[in-house]
Amino acid sequence: MSAISWAIRVWRNLRHRDEVERDLGDEIQSYLDLLTDEKIAAGVPPDRARRAALVELGGVEAVREATRASRAGALLEQVWQDVRYAARVLRRHTGFTAVAVLTLAVGIGANTAIFSVVHAVLLRSLPFPEPERLVFGWVQDRDGRRAFSAPDYVEFRASASAFEEVGAVFSPVIVGLSSNGRSEPARAREASHNFLAVYGLRPFLGRAFRPEEDRPSARGGQARDEATRVALISHGYWRSRFGADPAVIGRLVRLDLTPYEIVGVTPPGFQPLLPDDDDFGAEAQVWILNELDLARMPRDANFVRLVARLKRGATLGAARDEAAAFARRQRAQHALHREKGFEVDLVPLDRALTRAHSGPVLVLLGAVGLLLLIACANLATLLLARLSARERELAVRLSLGAGRARIVRQVLTECLLLSLAGAALGLALAGALLRVLPALAPASLPRVGDAGLDGLVLAFALGAAVLTTLLVGLLPALRFSQPWVADTLREAGRGHSGKAPRLGGLLVAGEVALSLVLVIGAGLLLRSFAALLRVDPGFRAEGVLTADLTLTRRYPRYPSPEKRVRFVREVSDRLARLPGVESVGLALVVPLSRQDTGHSYATEATASQDALPPAKYRPVTPGYFEAGGTRITAGRDFTWAEIETGARVSIVDEHLAHRAWPGESAIGKRLRLETWTARDGQVTLEPFWSEVVGVAEDVRSARLEREDIETVYLPYDLYAVAELSVLVRSSGDPASLAGPVRAEIARIDPELAVYHVRRLADLVSDALAPQRFSLVLLGAFAGAGLLLAWLGVYGVLAFAVGRRRREIGIRMAVGASGAQIRRMVLARGLSLVAAGLALGVVGAMALTGLLASQLYGVSPTDGRTFASVTLMTLLVSFLACDLPARRATRVDPRIALTGEG
Amino acid sequence: MPDAKADLLQGTLDLLILKSVELGPHHGLGIAGRVEQITRGTFHVKPGSLFPALHRLEAEGWLAGEWGESENRRRARFYRLTAPGRRQLEAETRHWQRISLAMTWALAAG
């Protein structure tokens, strides 16, 4: 039969179903009549003939059912029947339906939301053409992995033939952008001229940079004789700042007083997505060319982030081989690379991005998956309870010829309707969650804003619905469709078997186990977070306001170190005079921002510059330590006189003091340091000797959870760099100083961009954003899981008590006390819980290792956490068991006589 | 009539039913009786198997059914062989003869 004629038949069978059924009924009836006639004709008495005919027929319904089943479209018809029946049943038990749909909505919704994040952050291919050709480059030496140094980058670019484009992107900086008289801070990023081409993109408007524009400028910010500098702006910035005006091309703006011509607009939403970026929330608004003479910079200044595009047809393996050869050549030619080791590591950009961020996100996915399992177990026990109430009805249906498959299918249909309703509601929930999650997520998580309800995510939700249908419905359905009909029908008074409680108990024990795993995980994260909060960062953030300023080389107003020192002095003095200000300090880099460059130093005792590990140089002004609350444990702070005369003095931190001069006082000792000087267009590091005048306590400057490398504090002028942070300690709320500080600085220099004005305490808090995110979400899942498990334990016990009321009544009638009954129920409940806890502890021991990378100060198998969480869960479960136990003691013994089931 | 209960494969049953209406239409009970007759009592078709088979064959287009009157003036549904049904019967018959010949050789082999 062809598909079309089959379809026509199905349609006809469904449309004229009543007619078809009637015909069939008539036909079977006529068969019966004819058979009866035959028997009568053979001499059998009429009534016996009739009965014999019926027996021979084998049951009218059975024959009808058999014929129906073989009809075209029978399956569809049955499924439709199942659906209607299921809908009727669900409508009748609104309580169960509501609980089930809500539980499923929460479970499926949470899973869908987290999966959407996983999809956006880890799975989705990068939003560039042919993203598999994008490669990121790391340099590996004995101190770890880092960005390229400038000369290495230049040399690599010249030698690499497997790549179509090799480009560089640099860290973001803030510049003051002035246009049409308005000046405001803008986030700028330097890059090589071909940065868009590396990503396979073309500008949205205008043009990209030209190779000839990408040249170093003369050092010292001298005016360039030739063409003006050029810049690209981002699509978003073009819309917000320039009103999406196409005439922006060719417009002249000023970045920190230096004129730039806008020549193009980058494509919408463009982000370089570098794996070692830490803030994906704020896009770069202005793209400019780097002006350093990269080839002549020091070989140990690692600040060039290398991104490259493979030639079509070139393999990553071939590129890696080339890179290895390059590394060999570099090691042969440069002593620095020989001593510290030098390898080039090329990684596909998407893999590098994923590797950097997958840990915490996948843990969340696992946790939310466990939550769904718990929800399914809960619903399965509920379903078991309901089905056991319908045992008699099911047994009768089985005896009438409904196959086991039919019953299973019908129960599964009920579950499917519940799951689909739950999924629909869950999608709404997920949509709401996804609107909120990107705001809560740490800025260090890339592409979170892309998380939405797209095709794959919807398919996931549907798949989750099907999976929950099977998980919830299959076991109960199989349990209750077994043909032990005879048993059930014979026992007229009792309407139950012992099967449901056992399976229900197993499920609940499983629920308890899973929820214990979740709560232990949350507990570990909580202790880790608390430990982080207790870390002494080496500064006192309370009451301090911080602000950032940029005086880059491009800023012609402060071209010389003397001018910069004078500016800094004026800022310091003026701000110190503001009411409510206790102290003011300026420095390059404020605690907890990220800067990893270190320089070598030596003491009088160590001859070679490399004997001691590198230290950070931190230029500061007098008052910086006081403003930041960092104690000076020996010696003294700098004086302004030392700053202004360029005295060669330094303050070291305790870490360095102990390493360089163990057991002695560091005061008065001398350090050989180095400084960059520009000479004839060459930038070199020149050594000089400096006397130690003070020792300060250690400061955690990069991350709270990692100790810093040692630090040497230098007087500001020695390193008169242009990106500064201001710390202002106030006697009251630092936020109230924000306006006055801005105003005061504006009085000194009206066009200077002042940005990131905020409480230092907020900066510290932001640094913990990733940990807080994981903790909050995992805590929410754990709480929900525990609640569900609690409900599960309570439900199973309450149900068991309800069914054994007659037995309880008998016991009480023959003299059992209420306390004994209560003990009996409690024992049953607690044994379930204990089994679940034991299983949960084992499971947690196996699984918490996955959290190890996120934990600080606490091991994944921390005994205290395990013990206290388990105890707490036990106590909570005790309450869940006690309520039904008490109810059991209130059973009226007369039930033993009335015989209620 | 002997009440032998032998398992009938669906294909075999179909063939027997088609054969039983080769010479003229019958109603359900009549077909059951005819099958028993032409197999000399070997196969006794139960209604639980007969009715699904009849309806299936009708759906395939090999039988055509319509209501009529039986010998003793009872309303009954009569099935007759259609032209495609006749062709199917011939094809199935040839197929069976080939199979049974092969089985005979196989079982006779030493």
Side-chain angles (χ1 to χ4, degrees):
Chain A
M1 212 190 325
S2 78
I4 300 187
S5 54
W6 179 85
I8 296 176
R9 297 208 133 265
V10 170
W11 179 243
R12 211 153 2 116
N13 284 340
L14 288 177
R15 280 289 307 281
H16 304 284
R17 190 156 22 116
D18 293 335
E19 209 181 294
V20 168
E21 284 293 312
R22 236 193 341 238
D23 272 358
L24 181 58
D26 288 349
E27 195 179 343
I28 296 179
Q29 198 54 242
S30 100
Y31 183 96
L32 253 184
D33 293 340
L34 290 169
L35 189 53
T36 312
D37 287 348
E38 234 179 54
K39 293 197 187 301
I40 293 176
V44 180
D47 50 335
R48 282 187 61 193
R50 183 88 188 158
R51 221 174 308 139
L54 275 169
V55 166
E56 244 184 73
L57 188 71
V60 175
E61 260 321 302
V63 175
R64 287 181 77 144
E65 190 61 32
T67 314
R68 259 186 236 127
S70 71
R71 211 184 292 152
L75 194 62
L76 273 178
E77 196 187 321
Q78 281 182 346
V79 166
W80 180 237
Q81 248 186 351
D82 285 343
V83 168
R84 286 177 55 195
Y85 182 71
R88 231 184 9 246
V89 165
L90 291 176
R91 244 201 310 272
R92 220 170 341 134
H93 296 101
T94 43
F96 169 78
T97 307
V99 166
V101 170
L102 279 176
T103 313
L104 285 171
V106 168
I108 296 182
N111 269 277
T112 306
I114 300 290
F115 176 77
S116 177
V117 170
V118 167
H119 177 49
V121 171
L122 297 179
L123 295 177
R124 226 197 297 198
S125 58
L126 298 177
F128 310 120
E130 294 173 290
E132 63 282 358
R133 288 166 63 195
L134 282 172
V135 172
F136 187 76
W138 295 102
V139 158
Q140 185 103 18
D141 63 26
R142 127 189 118 198
D143 294 329
R145 230 163 43 156
R146 55 184 80 247
F148 271 72
S149 72
D152 286 329
Y153 158 72
V154 171
E155 286 152 17
F156 181 80
R157 193 179 55 190
S159 78
S161 66
F163 292 106
E164 190 176 278
E165 298 281 354
V166 176
V169 178
F170 300 84
S171 301
V173 295
I174 303 280
V175 298
L177 187 140
S178 323
S179 163
N180 290 350
R182 258 174 55 216
S183 169
E184 48 188 43
R187 201 175 156 87
R189 230 170 159 158
E190 291 175 340
S192 57
H193 68 93
N194 58 349
F195 78 104
L196 280 180
V198 168
Y199 287 94
L201 297 170
R202 299 159 64 80
F204 176 78
L205 209 61
R207 65 166 176 87
F209 295 130
R210 296 199 191 106
E212 57 271 20
E213 290 168 332
D214 193 359
R215 279 166 325 176
S217 71
R219 204 71 185 121
Q222 305 285 341
R224 292 169 71 166
D225 41 342
E226 349 58 30
T228 339
R229 293 168 167 82
V230 288
L232 271 74
I233 55 175
S234 76
H235 186 93
Y237 195 55
W238 174 57
R239 289 181 59 179
S240 64
R241 177 73 146 94
F242 296 94
D245 180 8
V248 77
I249 308 294
R251 178 109 69 110
L252 278 178
V253 296
R254 286 206 307 226
L255 300 180
D256 291 335
L257 291 188
T258 307
Y260 274 79
E261 180 188 345
I262 298 179
V263 296
V265 176
T266 60
F270 170 67
Q271 256 193 346
L273 292 180
L274 301 179
D276 56 351
D277 270 348
D278 54 37
D279 187 351
F280 294 94
E283 61 158 15
Q285 293 162 318
V286 182
W287 289 89
I288 50 183
L289 291 163
N290 179 275
E291 294 182 23
L292 297 172
D293 189 352
L294 297 176
R296 307 223 227 178
M297 295 214 69
R299 205 166 279 276
D300 59 352
N302 296 70
F303 60 98
V304 180
R305 328 275 266 296
L306 189 145
V307 217
R309 191 176 189 76
L310 281 172
K311 285 200 176 113
R312 240 186 219 106
T315 63
L316 184 62
R320 284 212 178 109
D321 291 338
E322 251 185 12
F326 169 76
R328 261 198 308 275
R329 282 198 302 275
Q330 297 297 90
R331 286 198 297 274
Q333 280 182 350
H334 302 286
L336 175 74
H337 290 330
R338 252 199 315 276
E339 286 160 21
K340 292 181 66 176
F342 180 77
E343 297 289 345
V344 171
D345 190 14
L346 297 175
V347 191
L349 187 62
D350 51 15
R351 187 130 49 89
L353 204 60
T354 306
R355 255 205 320 238
H357 296 101
S358 55
V361 177
L362 288 179
V363 165
L364 284 180
L365 188 64
V368 82
L370 283 184
L371 184 63
L372 188 62
L373 280 181
I374 296 176
C376 288
N378 221 336
L379 287 178
T381 56
L382 275 180
L383 189 61
L384 275 177
R386 284 224 357 240
L387 283 179
S388 69
R390 290 161 56 188
E391 253 178 274
R392 193 108 41 96
E393 172 216 327
L394 289 173
V396 167
R397 286 182 62 196
L398 278 169
S399 73
L400 278 182
R404 184 180 189 190
R406 188 80 205 274
I407 305 266
V408 169
R409 205 169 61 211
Q410 201 218 295
V411 172
L412 285 181
T413 309
E414 265 178 58
C415 296
L416 187 63
L417 283 187
L418 285 174
S419 293
L420 288 176
L425 200 58
L427 276 177
L429 180 67
L433 277 176
L434 284 174
R435 250 187 286 268
V436 172
L437 265 180
L440 291 176
S444 55
L445 213 54
R447 301 167 74 190
V448 176
D450 289 345
L453 296 175
D454 56 27
L456 188 62
V457 173
L458 288 176
F460 176 85
L462 194 62
V466 170
L467 186 65
T468 54
T469 303
L470 290 175
L471 284 176
V472 173
L474 203 55
L475 276 180
L478 287 174
R479 264 279 179 259
F480 280 95
S481 57
Q482 277 166 354
W484 25 263
V485 176
D487 296 342
T488 315
L489 290 180
R490 225 186 293 131
E491 302 180 19
R494 312 211 282 151
H496 68 93
S497 75
K499 308 216 176 193
R502 213 171 32 223
L503 185 58
L506 270 176
L507 284 172
V508 164
E511 265 186 86
V512 171
L514 287 176
S515 68
L516 189 71
V517 170
L518 279 181
V519 180
I520 287 180
L524 286 173
L525 280 185
L526 187 64
R527 287 199 62 194
S528 167
F529 194 73
L532 274 177
L533 287 178
R534 281 197 303 267
V535 164
D536 182 359
F539 56 92
R540 318 267 112 55
E542 286 312 310
V544 179
L545 185 77
T546 167
D548 290 347
L549 315 169
T550 313
L551 307 175
T552 60
R553 308 170 248 100
R554 289 191 289 274
Y555 206 69
R557 203 192 269 229
Y558 309 101
S560 66
E562 292 79 30
K563 290 228 169 79
R564 287 197 273 265
V565 169
R566 211 163 339 154
F567 166 78
V568 152
R569 177 90 202 246
E570 202 180 341
V571 169
S572 192
D573 289 344
R574 274 177 173 251
L575 290 182
R577 285 201 289 271
L578 284 176
V581 171
E582 290 180 355
S583 48
V584 178
L586 290 91
L588 171 64
V589 169
V590 145
L592 290 185
S593 28
R594 291 154 216 262
Q595 266 263 0
D596 275 348
T597 46
H599 296 272
S600 44
Y601 68 96
T603 62
E604 283 167 318
T606 61
S608 134
Q609 196 85 340
D610 277 339
L612 296 160
K616 277 209 219 313
Y617 287 8
R618 185 147 302 155
V620 298
T621 63
Y624 170 77
F625 294 104
E626 198 187 324
T630 303
R631 281 172 308 128
I632 297 188
T633 57
R636 59 169 178 83
D637 196 358
F638 298 129
T639 64
W640 276 109
E642 284 167 337
I643 306 271
E644 278 154 357
T645 57
R648 300 310 210 213
V649 288
S650 54
I651 297 175
V652 297
D653 67 359
E654 292 185 335
H655 203 168
L656 189 151
H658 284 146
R659 189 191 284 279
W661 306 284
E664 308 170 39
S665 161
I667 311 294
K669 301 278 193 304
R670 301 214 304 155
L671 282 177
R672 197 174 80 217
L673 306 169
E674 21 182 55
T675 180
W676 291 358
T677 35
R679 214 187 289 272
D680 317 313
Q682 269 294 90
V683 175
T684 50
L685 278 172
E686 286 198 352
F688 63 95
W689 285 98
S690 161
E691 184 185 337
V692 177
V693 298
V695 179
E697 65 173 315
D698 294 328
V699 169
R700 304 244 166 159
S701 73
R703 282 190 216 286
L704 276 179
E705 60 264 29
R706 240 193 2 217
E707 270 180 27
D708 226 1
I709 63 178
E710 291 120 18
T711 310
V712 177
Y713 296 93
L714 299 166
Y716 173 68
D717 88 304
L718 221 44
Y719 243 105
V721 279
E723 275 153 42
L724 295 171
S725 291
V726 184
L727 291 182
V728 179
R729 179 171 288 279
S730 91
S731 48
D733 176 20
S736 63
L737 285 177
V741 163
R742 270 191 214 270
E744 206 58 40
I745 296 180
R747 258 179 233 127
I748 304 174
D749 184 344
E751 283 188 359
L752 181 61
V754 180
Y755 53 97
H756 288 164
V757 180
R758 54 191 164 163
R759 288 196 194 90
L760 190 59
D762 290 344
L763 188 72
V764 174
S765 171
D766 280 350
L768 291 177
Q771 287 88 344
R772 198 180 298 121
F773 184 63
S774 288
L775 178 62
V776 164
L777 284 185
L778 193 58
F781 298 153
L786 195 59
L787 181 66
L788 283 176
W790 193 92
L791 287 173
V793 170
Y794 172 81
V796 155
L797 272 186
F799 180 68
V801 163
R803 299 228 309 196
R804 295 167 66 185
R805 292 180 70 197
R806 196 154 162 250
E807 176 197 337
I808 296 175
I810 293 175
R811 282 180 192 255
M812 291 187 82
V814 299
S817 70
Q820 279 175 318
I821 301 287
R822 187 162 158 229
R823 261 203 303 272
M824 180 181 84
V825 177
L826 268 180
R828 164 127 173 87
L830 287 179
S831 63
L832 275 183
V833 170
L837 289 180
L839 204 62
V841 167
V842 169
M845 288 221 184
L847 290 175
T848 48
L850 295 171
L851 274 180
S853 59
Q854 297 183 60
L855 293 178
Y856 174 79
V858 71
S859 104
T861 51
D862 178 51
R864 264 185 61 189
T865 313
F866 271 67
S868 48
V869 168
T870 308
L871 200 61
M872 181 193 75
T873 312
L874 185 62
L875 286 175
V876 167
S877 313
F878 180 84
L879 198 62
C881 298
D882 199 36
L883 287 175
R886 280 179 199 272
R887 201 106 67 77
T889 63
R890 289 201 282 270
V891 167
D892 191 341
R894 279 176 295 179
I895 282 197
L897 304 175
T898 55
E900 197 245 60
Chain B
M1 278 173 257
D3 205 5
K5 289 185 179 66
D7 278 322
L8 273 181
L9 294 173
Q10 175 180 296
T12 324
L13 177 58
D14 288 357
L15 180 53
L16 287 173
I17 291 175
L18 291 178
K19 186 73 182 173
S20 65
V21 292
E22 187 185 19
L23 301 178
H26 287 282
H27 54 59
L29 185 62
I31 292 177
R34 183 109 178 95
V35 165
E36 205 169 335
Q37 189 183 50
I38 60 182
T39 60
R40 311 205 189 163
T42 317
F43 291 131
H44 176 79
V45 190
K46 296 220 282 251
S49 319
L50 179 68
F51 278 100
L54 284 176
H55 284 254
R56 195 171 8 91
L57 292 173
E58 185 181 7
E60 295 272 5
W62 298 332
L63 293 179
E66 61 188 3
W67 286 98
E69 236 180 45
S70 72
E71 313 83 48
N72 38 0
R73 329 249 3 264
R74 288 254 192 223
R75 193 163 170 265
R77 197 134 204 273
F78 284 82
Y79 295 92
R80 66 172 173 80
L81 195 62
T82 62
R86 199 169 289 276
R87 282 195 294 276
Q88 178 73 6
L89 174 60
E90 284 162 20
E92 289 278 315
T93 308
R94 278 196 304 272
H95 182 62
W96 248 109
Q97 282 162 349
R98 248 196 330 270
I99 290 182
S100 61
L101 190 58
M103 286 304 290
T104 312
W105 291 336
L107 294 173

